[in-house]
Amino acid sequence: KGPFTGKIAFVSKRSGNKEIYLMDYDGHHVQRITANRSINLNPDFSPSGREIIHTSYKKGNPDLYRRDLFSTAESRISAHPGINITGSWSPDGNRIALSLSRDGNAEIYVISKDGRQMTRLTRTSAINTSPSWSPDGSRIAFLSDRLGKPQIFVMNSDGSSPSRLTTSGAYSVSPAWSPKGDRILYCRQHSGGFQIHSIATDGGDDRQLTTDGSNEHPRWSPDGRFITF
């Protein structure tokens, strides 16, 4: 199924605050989803397309919320002291990976979709954030600066066997696993800004996809044929 009947979730300051919106693939039919006059970030669709999760500062702390797109029902599912950010739905729709700083530095956790069950996946003195699930749910790509500069790593979904994916460049962020499972998008810092790259899941065949300006936060279409950024 192609992306042309779907929606894109994005963040805009057009109202004066960072709110979350939906739009068609061509930019038409823009619909504002949040209206709390605060900072709202990192929207992610559930596999069913009926819900999104996002981080909001509307109660002062960056907490994670889950929102039904058809009934507008909303619940706060992660509100630990510190950050509750970069939430990512698992492919089965039952779990959410996110970054929490409840124990000090930012670490990757997995919570149930209601937020009641929680498992910690990373245990380092570094910053770990931006988890992205493989389409079969067996692995997670994430960002870590455990070797000094931010790079993309991959681990099993239980936190075991972490390994570095990106080896070129000094600064890489924003991993996004393809729906086909064979490649991972990420952004690498170049002299003129960030550029989008696509790399095989074994770390080979690293391709630079953009060259002009600075290009960030890539995401795949559901069929794996297109990229938004």
Side-chain angles (χ1 to χ4, degrees):
K1 185 177 180 181
F4 304 115
T5 59
K7 298 284 185 179
I8 295 171
F10 66 100
V11 177
S12 175
K13 291 181 66 177
R14 64 185 64 189
S15 68
N17 302 287
K18 287 189 175 181
E19 304 281 7
I20 293 176
Y21 294 76
L22 297 181
M23 65 179 176
D24 293 346
Y25 80 98
D26 57 1
H28 286 80
H29 301 111
V30 175
Q31 174 188 1
R32 189 163 75 171
I33 298 301
T34 62
N36 52 48
R37 299 181 180 181
S38 183
I39 298 172
N40 301 276
L41 302 168
N42 302 126
D44 188 57
F45 281 103
S46 68
S48 70
R50 297 186 58 89
E51 297 176 285
I52 61 167
I53 50 175
H54 71 282
T55 293
S56 179
Y57 284 75
K58 67 179 182 178
K59 292 186 179 293
N61 193 64
D63 298 330
L64 189 72
Y65 291 79
R66 177 180 160 200
R67 185 180 184 91
D68 188 291
L69 294 175
F70 295 89
S71 70
T72 71
E74 184 180 82
S75 59
R76 187 168 59 163
I77 58 173
S78 184
H80 299 284
I83 61 171
N84 303 256
I85 62 170
T86 59
S88 174
W89 285 94
S90 65
D92 63 9
N94 293 323
R95 297 169 293 166
I96 294 165
L98 76 164
S99 182
L100 304 176
S101 61
R102 62 190 295 270
D103 296 314
N105 58 295
E107 302 281 5
I108 305 294
Y109 291 75
V110 169
I111 61 174
S112 57
K113 64 181 180 180
D114 59 8
R116 294 177 181 176
Q117 299 175 348
M118 181 174 63
T119 303
R120 181 173 172 175
L121 300 188
T122 59
R123 295 181 179 274
T124 71
S125 59
I127 294 172
N128 303 276
T129 187
S130 303
S132 177
W133 298 81
S134 64
D136 64 0
S138 67
R139 292 191 289 171
I140 294 174
F142 64 102
L143 168 67
S144 179
D145 66 353
R146 62 187 64 190
L147 298 180
K149 293 290 182 72
Q151 294 290 345
I152 309 304
F153 287 74
V154 173
M155 63 182 169
N156 293 331
S157 58
D158 62 0
S160 64
S161 302
S163 62
R164 181 175 172 177
L165 179 71
T166 54
T167 56
S168 299
Y171 199 107
S172 300
V173 296
S174 301
W177 211 303
S178 75
K180 296 179 180 179
D182 58 339
R183 303 193 68 82
I184 294 172
L185 295 174
Y186 73 98
C187 294
R188 185 198 299 177
Q189 190 175 43
H190 291 251
S191 58
F194 282 94
Q195 301 299 339
I196 295 170
H197 285 246
S198 171
I199 190 170
T201 56
D202 62 0
D205 192 25
D206 193 333
R207 308 175 190 172
Q208 183 177 337
L209 304 184
T210 59
T211 56
D212 297 329
S214 188
N215 304 280
E216 302 181 50
H217 203 71
R219 289 294 181 264
W220 298 90
S221 64
D223 62 359
R225 292 185 62 200
F226 297 91
I227 294 169
T228 62
F229 62 96

